[in-house]
Amino acid sequence: MSEALEDTGETGIGAPVRRREDLRFITGNGNYTDDLNQPGQLYAVFCRSPYPRARIDGIDCDDALAVPGVVAVYTGQQMVDDGIGDLPCGWMVKSKDGADMLSSPHPPMAATVANYVGEPYALVVAESLQAAKQGAESVYADFTELHVVVDLATATASDEIYEGIPNNLAYTWALGDEDATRMAFAKAAHVTTMDLTNNRLIPNAIEPRACLGMFESATGDYTLYTTSQNPGLERLVLSAFVQVAPEHKLRIVAPDVGGGFGSKIFIYAEETAVIWAAAKANRPIKWVAERSESFLADAHGRDHITHAELAMDEMGRFTGLKVQTTANLGAYLSTFGSSVPTYLYGTLLAGQYKTPNIYVEVQGAYTNTAPVDAYRGAGRPEATYVVERIVEQAARELGKDPADLRRMNMIQPEEFPYETPVALVYDTGNYEASLDKALDIIDYAGFEARRAAAAEQGKRRGIGFACYIEACGLAPSKLAIELGAGVGLYESGEIRVNPTGSVSVFTGSHSHGQGHETTFAQVVSDKLGINYDDIDIIHGDTGRMDFGLGTYGSRSLAVGGSALVAAADKLIEKGKKIAAHMMQATPEQVTFEDGQFTLQDSNQSMSIQEVAFASYVPADYPEDLEPGFAEKAFYDPNNFTYPAGTHIAEVEVDIETGVVSLEDFVAVDDFGHIINPLIVHGQVHGGVAQGAGQAIMEHGIYDEYGQLQTGSMMDYTMPRADDLPDFKVDTTVTPCTHNPLGVKGCGEAGAIGSPAAIMNAITHALGIKDISMPATPEKVWRAIGGNS
C-alpha cells in the first residue's frame, strides 16, 4: 500500500522514483504563464456580462479610453468585423434519428447577445493592470434582458434560447438495442429503479487560466503562451477554424501548468481574444484570470439528471439496463462538450458486468449557464455513478450482500476479449481479484463490529462499494473520427541521442501535474539503457515538436509513452546497423540489451553512446545510412485501454449535526503495468480527494435568475486535508494487450470510483435509498429526521 512506498534509488520501469520536476515547484522555481513577461507588454481585463441572457444594444468605450494608461478597448463586434470565427465544438454527435447535432454560434466575445453570466463582450488593454481594471469598470454596455433558461429539469420545455434549436436540445442521442432491452424488462423477475443527479462541479485548478500573446509585425509571427493541456490542438483550432493566424505563423507554448483536470483542454474566449488583440495593438498582451473569473468562465463539469432501471432474473443476474439522461451543455457547446455525455458516458454503462441488454438515451440541453465540458473522468464518473448506485440498491432490495451480487455478475477472466452491448470491446481484466483484495484491506468481515462501536458513540456507520471501469488512452483515430471526432487521437514522440550520449525527448503529450518528466524518462532509460539523469523531457511547445494531441483521458503513457517506445525501437534498429558495420558483421548478428550492442558469439560490443557518437562523426559508417541518431514516431492505438478496480468507502454520520466523516477508503485498481508506483498512488489520492469533494461538498449552483451562487471559495466548498482519511491504495495487474508498455492509465480512476462508493456508504449508514450529491450536513440531517 502507498504508505510503504519509498524511493529506492532505482530508476527503471516499476521503480518508485520521486518526481524530478517537484524540486523546482516546491522551491518556487516553476515557470508558469504568469511568471512570463515581455518588454512593453500591456495588461488585459475582460468586461463580462452581468446577465445570463441579454441583447447587447450598444457599448460606450469613451470613458474607458479616457482613463490614463488605457490603450484600447476591443469588442466582440470588432472580432466579427475582422473575420474571427466562432469557437468550434470538436466532436459531431448525431441524434438517434441520424440528424446532426444543433450547434449554436459561439463567438469568442459576445457581439449581439450574451448567453451566460461571465461571458466576455469586451477587452480593455492598458499599460498597467490597475489601469485596465479601471478602464473595464468605465465601459458602459446597454443591455436588454431576455428570457433565461437555467433549470435543467425544465430546460427542454422552456422557451428557445437560440432560433432554430427547438426545445433547447442539441441532440437526443441513443446507444444500444432498445427492443431487446424492452423484452428483457418484460421478462424480469425484479426491477430496481432510481432517479439520480450528478451535481455540477467547478474545476478550480490551483493555477487560474492565463495567457500572454505576442505578434511580430516584421515577420507576421504570432506566439501565445497559455495554460493549455493541449497546445497542438489549440494551434490547429485557432488557425484552421477561428482563423486568428495561419498555422505556420502561430506558435503555442504551454509552460509549467498548475493543474488542469480537463478544464484546460478547451479553446477559450480569452486566449483567442488576447492573441488577436496583440496583433491589433502590435504589443504583447497579458491576461491572468482572477479566481472569481475562473468560477464564472471556466468550463464546468458533470450536471446530469438520470432515470435508470436495472432488470434481473430470479437469481439476481442482470438482464437489462435502461438509462435516460438529460445532460446540461451550458450556453454553448465547448470543445468536447458534445462527446462527454454521449460517447464517453453511454459506452461505459456496462461497467464490469455481463448485462446482455443495455439501452441509453441522452438529451443534450442548452441552458444560460457556463459551458459544461470534460472534468476529471469526463463521462466515466457519471456512468459509474449510475451503474454502481443502482447495483448497490438492487442488492439491498434483493437482500443480497453487495459484494456477492457484483461478483456473480462480473465478466470473468476467461471471457476476454469481451464485447459489451454498448459498443466497446474490453481486452483484458480480472475484476474479482481487485474486489477480493479491497475486501481484505478494508477488513470487510470486521465491519459489523465497527458499526456497533459507532452506534455506541451515537453515530451511524456505513460501507459502500464501487466497481468501476473506464475507457482511457483515447483513440483509435479511425473509430473516433467515424464517431464524430474532428481530429485523430494518435500521439507523437521523438528521441534524440545527442553526440555526447545525453538524450532529448520530445513528446506531444503535456504534463500539468502527471509527472511526465519522470515517468517518460524512466521509460526511455529502461528501453535504451541510458542513465535516467541524462534524459531530458521536452513538451508543450509547438515550435519545437511535431503535432501532438496533448494530455487528457489518461492517455499520456498509453499513447504518448507508446510513441516513445516506437521511436526507441527505430533507434535500436538503426543502432544495430551502425554497430554491425563497425564490428564487421550483419545487423542480424547484433543484439541490444541494457544499452549495449553486442555481436553474438563474440566478446565485441559497443555502447549506445559510442554508436550515437559514430553516427555524428561518420568516418567509418554504412554508406546507405544517413548520419545522426534521432527518430520520430506516431502511435495510434488499436483500442481504448480499460483500467478497472474496486473502491470501498466507510463513513460515519453524526446524527445530531448531519456531518459525514469519511473514516476509511480503499482503492484497488488495475492499471496494467505500473511505470512508477509512487506517482500512480499520488494520482489515485488526488482523484479520490476530488471524488470525495463531489460526494459531500462541491456543487456549482445557479439561482433561478441565472446568477452563480457559488462564485467564490466562501460559497463553493472544496475538500481539505483534514476532511480525508489516510487512503489505502493497492493494485492488481492484467497488462493491456495492445500497447507495447502494457499500461492502461491512472489519472482519473480516483475521481471515477469514489463518488459512488462514498454515496453508497452514506445511504447505507442512513438506511435510505438515495440522497443527492453533495451529501451536505443539512441534507443528511433532514434525511435523518425523516428516517430515524
Side-chain angles (χ1 to χ4, degrees):
M1 290 179 284
S2 57
E3 55 265 32
L5 284 177
E6 294 182 4
D7 192 334
T8 62
E10 299 294 323
T11 58
I13 288 177
V17 182
R18 291 189 182 275
R19 299 199 323 177
R20 57 163 59 160
E21 49 267 65
D22 283 354
L23 180 62
R24 72 174 186 270
F25 295 148
I26 64 176
T27 57
N29 291 306
N31 192 34
Y32 299 95
T33 300
D34 193 26
D35 295 321
L36 307 175
N37 294 287
Q38 289 291 312
Q41 77 184 21
L42 301 173
Y43 296 83
V45 171
F46 284 89
C47 301
R48 299 183 181 275
S49 172
Y51 303 107
R53 186 165 177 248
R55 185 174 65 247
I56 302 172
D57 296 320
I59 301 175
D60 186 346
C61 304
D62 291 346
D63 288 349
L65 292 169
V67 172
V70 170
V71 173
V73 180
Y74 300 110
T75 67
Q77 187 58 53
Q78 286 176 276
M79 296 190 78
V80 172
D81 294 342
D82 271 13
I84 301 300
D86 288 335
L87 302 178
C89 177
W91 202 297
M92 171 58 72
V93 169
K94 292 183 179 293
S95 287
K96 64 179 184 177
D97 62 2
D100 289 348
M101 68 184 185
L102 300 177
S103 182
S104 65
H106 187 183
M109 292 198 294
T112 58
V113 177
N115 283 301
Y116 65 95
V117 171
E119 182 174 4
Y121 63 86
L123 170 65
V124 177
V125 294
E127 301 288 352
S128 69
L129 181 59
Q130 182 179 0
K133 287 184 176 181
Q134 187 177 349
E137 291 171 356
S138 302
V139 172
Y140 175 76
D142 185 14
F143 291 101
T144 298
E145 292 187 67
L146 303 173
H147 171 76
V148 300
V149 178
V150 179
D151 184 7
L152 179 60
T154 60
T156 60
S158 300
D159 292 344
E160 295 175 6
I161 298 173
Y162 301 106
E163 184 178 352
I165 303 183
N167 305 117
N168 297 312
L169 282 176
Y171 51 72
T172 299
W173 176 88
L175 181 66
D177 190 328
E178 185 176 16
D179 291 337
T181 304
R182 186 183 299 114
M183 290 178 62
F185 273 82
K187 298 175 182 178
H190 182 84
V191 174
T192 295
T193 301
M194 293 196 77
D195 291 296
L196 299 164
T197 299
N198 210 290
N199 44 321
R200 178 181 284 241
L201 302 178
I202 301 175
N204 275 308
I206 194 169
E207 178 201 23
R209 289 189 294 115
C211 60
L212 173 61
M214 296 179 286
F215 175 69
E216 179 57 60
S217 59
T219 61
D221 290 333
Y222 294 73
T223 301
L224 178 66
Y225 289 87
T226 185
T227 50
S228 175
Q229 299 176 216
N230 201 341
L233 181 65
E234 179 129 4
R235 180 182 186 227
L236 174 64
V237 171
L238 289 179
S239 59
F241 298 94
V242 184
Q243 299 183 332
V244 167
E247 187 174 13
H248 68 292
K249 290 291 185 180
L250 178 61
R251 177 187 175 203
I252 307 292
V253 183
D256 288 332
V257 174
F261 314 114
S263 70
K264 293 176 181 172
I265 305 171
F266 322 123
I267 314 305
Y268 282 100
E270 290 84 0
E271 61 255 34
T272 305
V274 163
I275 189 63
W276 165 79
K280 299 283 284 186
N282 198 22
R283 289 176 64 179
I285 298 177
K286 182 177 184 178
W287 170 77
V288 179
E290 296 188 348
R291 185 60 64 179
S292 59
E293 291 182 283
S294 298
F295 274 97
L296 287 171
D298 285 8
H300 294 178
R302 317 289 193 250
D303 208 349
H304 288 191
I305 297 172
T306 294
H307 176 78
E309 299 179 18
L310 178 65
M312 290 154 280
D313 65 14
E314 296 82 355
M315 300 296 294
R317 288 186 289 263
F318 306 155
T319 59
L321 176 67
K322 291 192 295 187
V323 176
Q324 293 177 302
T325 293
T326 302
N328 199 337
L329 303 174
Y332 302 107
L333 281 173
S334 182
T335 311
F336 295 113
S338 60
S339 63
V340 173
T342 51
Y343 291 110
L344 298 181
Y345 168 70
T347 55
L348 273 301
L349 287 170
Q352 299 184 5
Y353 310 115
K354 295 182 286 188
T355 312
N357 304 289
I358 300 175
Y359 179 74
V360 55
E361 192 169 294
V362 178
Q363 292 185 317
Y366 290 109
T367 61
N368 293 116
T369 62
V372 179
D373 209 318
Y375 175 63
R376 198 169 191 169
R380 283 72 55 85
E382 296 92 313
T384 295
Y385 192 72
V386 171
V387 173
E388 290 304 296
R389 288 288 290 113
I390 201 166
V391 168
E392 191 91 1
Q393 179 60 27
R396 295 171 188 173
E397 292 178 2
L398 295 173
K400 290 182 176 290
D401 183 287
D404 292 342
L405 182 64
R406 287 174 166 87
R407 190 190 307 276
M408 71 180 291
N409 282 285
M410 281 178 172
I411 303 163
Q412 297 302 307
E414 64 273 13
E415 296 177 289
F416 291 99
Y418 183 87
E419 185 173 358
T420 76
V422 279
L424 296 181
V425 178
Y426 302 162
D427 62 330
T428 185
N430 187 344
Y431 306 143
E432 281 194 70
S434 296
L435 175 61
D436 289 339
K437 183 175 279 193
L439 290 170
D440 180 60
I441 295 171
I442 200 78
D443 183 21
Y444 188 48
F447 170 73
E448 289 302 330
R450 297 191 295 276
R451 190 178 199 182
E456 291 178 1
Q457 301 297 318
K459 297 183 178 181
R460 298 185 184 180
R461 194 173 183 106
I463 190 167
F465 296 78
C467 296
Y468 77 92
I469 191 167
E470 53 172 327
C472 295
L474 296 185
S477 293
K478 184 176 185 296
L479 174 61
I481 292 169
E482 287 175 355
L483 296 177
V487 294
L489 292 173
Y490 49 82
E491 194 49 89
S492 63
E494 179 182 2
I495 301 176
R496 299 179 191 171
V497 183
N498 301 312
T500 58
S502 62
V503 177
S504 299
V505 175
F506 299 84
T507 174
S509 299
H510 184 273
S511 181
H512 41 278
Q514 292 86 350
H516 294 172
E517 293 175 36
T518 301
T519 51
F520 281 15
Q522 287 181 259
V523 169
V524 174
S525 173
D526 196 89
K527 186 72 177 176
L528 296 181
I530 293 175
N531 189 293
Y532 166 82
D533 293 322
D534 292 334
I535 300 169
D536 192 25
I537 309 298
I538 300 109
H539 62 91
D541 186 345
T542 64
R544 300 185 66 185
M545 55 203 54
D546 285 318
F547 181 76
L549 274 302
T551 295
Y552 47 88
S554 303
R555 72 190 301 269
S556 297
L557 268 176
V559 188
S562 294
L564 294 178
V565 170
D569 286 338
K570 291 182 179 181
L571 277 175
I572 292 168
E573 290 306 306
K574 183 174 184 177
K576 286 180 178 179
K577 294 176 182 179
I578 298 170
H581 176 85
M582 298 184 73
M583 291 187 290
Q584 299 181 342
T586 65
E588 292 74 22
Q589 294 175 289
V590 177
T591 62
F592 179 78
E593 187 175 359
D594 295 332
Q596 295 289 322
F597 292 95
T598 302
L599 182 61
Q600 295 176 8
D601 302 322
S602 80
N603 61 357
Q604 294 187 70
S605 66
M606 294 182 67
S607 70
I608 191 170
Q609 290 86 354
E610 291 174 311
V611 168
F613 186 80
S615 75
Y616 289 106
V617 188
D620 182 14
Y621 199 73
E623 292 183 0
D624 59 345
L625 207 60
E626 61 186 25
F629 209 53
E631 292 289 349
K632 299 178 179 180
F634 286 79
Y635 179 79
D636 197 349
N638 295 322
N639 193 0
F640 299 102
T641 63
Y642 298 100
T646 293
H647 290 185
I648 306 177
E650 280 196 37
V651 303
E652 282 190 359
V653 178
D654 187 319
I655 61 175
E656 293 184 354
T657 65
V659 170
V660 174
S661 172
L662 182 57
E663 293 294 308
D664 203 357
F665 195 96
V666 169
V668 178
D669 304 287
D670 179 1
F671 299 135
H673 286 149
I674 303 296
I675 304 300
N676 185 320
L678 196 62
I679 289 178
V680 166
H681 286 200
Q683 288 288 314
V684 174
H685 286 189
V688 172
Q690 285 179 281
Q694 176 172 16
I696 58 180
M697 298 176 189
E698 300 182 45
H699 193 185
I701 300 172
Y702 287 88
D703 67 15
E704 60 184 305
Y705 307 107
Q707 297 293 331
L708 184 63
Q709 300 297 291
T710 52
S712 75
M713 295 296 184
M714 293 291 290
D715 309 299
Y716 186 89
T717 307
M718 296 183 68
R720 303 177 304 181
D722 60 356
D723 295 313
L724 305 169
D726 290 331
F727 302 133
K728 298 170 182 173
V729 178
D730 212 327
T731 56
T732 58
V733 178
T734 57
C736 175
T737 60
H738 58 78
N739 68 54
L741 289 167
V743 297
K744 297 183 179 181
C746 70
E748 297 164 296
I752 290 171
S754 55
I758 293 169
M759 293 304 295
N760 282 336
I762 292 170
T763 55
H764 182 233
L766 298 179
I768 61 175
K769 183 175 183 178
D770 189 37
I771 184 172
S772 64
M773 292 190 292
T776 61
E778 180 185 358
K779 285 185 188 176
V780 173
W781 180 79
R782 292 186 182 278
I784 293 170
N787 294 275
S788 58

